[in-house]
Amino acid sequence: MLFFKNNRIFAQNQTKLMEKSLINDLNIKLKDFSPEELIKYFVSNYKKVSLASSMGVEDQVLTHIIATNNISLDIFTLDTGRIFPETYDLIQKTESKYKRRIEVYFPNNNEVERMVKAKGINLFYESIENRKQCCNIRKINPLKRALSIYDVWICGLRKEQSVTRENLALVEWDELNGLLKINPLINWTEKEVWDYVKVNKIPYNNLHDKSFPSIGCQPCTRAIMPGEDLRAGRWWWENPETKECGLHKK
């Protein structure tokens, strides 16, 4: 038994080394690619590629690039059951403008019901453990289901967004979901994003004009004050170091 166990550990370590080598090679090879070039590269070299859109302004930039260049890939988003009405409006506006359907994934209703029955409707305010449980059921599990058919997922993360994202790379290995994760806007600044949006008349969430730079679930998102971090309005009752739901866990 020990022999087989050691062989399994060896094989796992070899796989991780191969993954690390692939990621390093891709980051070197693609470091000067534009977002459009980067997306086209992965669509050309991998069978199943998707954009996981939070409907945030960065993801709207990526949707515009994909749609206006007729790049063939799926776009999906997550409806946790507690998102803002403005986010639903944006889904509709985006589909109308780009003539592309955005697939929507929902949490399992039985999981949500059991959680609420046990801990209450607003359990997330009571502890980090509760908040992460809610994120897991409403976001992580639907994301896993959505990504199960893909080889590559694209998202709109930027290093500048928060202290939890400073060490992200252009190309990463998503160990949790077992596929490549691509961040085409990783080095863009906030100004570059908004300049691109204005020039190209890209639809965006109206809440961005009301001091909501980062928009998630309604009870866990607030407007920020001048000078605050871009993600200060997300889970504002927690320390900055814990402000991730787990979607982008490395």
Side-chain angles (χ1 to χ4, degrees), residues 84 207 210-214 221-225 228 232-234 236:
F84 286 87
L207 290 173
K210 300 176 182 179
S211 300
F212 284 79
S214 179
T221 308
R222 65 161 173 80
I224 66 170
M225 301 297 290
E228 281 191 301
R234 302 291 297 279
W236 64 91

Side-chain angles (χ1 to χ4, degrees), residues 15-28:
T15 300
K16 287 182 179 180
L17 286 173
M18 290 173 64
E19 290 166 357
K20 185 176 181 180
S21 176
L22 170 64
I23 298 304
N24 288 339
D25 290 346
L26 286 172
N27 274 305
I28 292 170

Side-chain angles (χ1 to χ4, degrees), residues 129-141:
E129 179 186 11
N130 280 1
R131 197 269 295 168
K132 288 186 175 181
Q133 180 185 1
C134 190
C135 288
N136 190 65
I137 289 173
R138 293 183 182 274
K139 292 184 178 182
I140 309 305
N141 292 348

Side-chain angles (χ1 to χ4, degrees), residues 11 33 41 52 56 95 126 147 162 190 198 218 228 244 248:
F33 276 37
Y41 173 86
E95 289 184 335
E126 296 176 3
L147 292 178
S162 72
E190 183 83 358
K198 291 171 183 175
Q218 191 167 10
E228 281 191 301
E244 288 289 353
H248 304 295

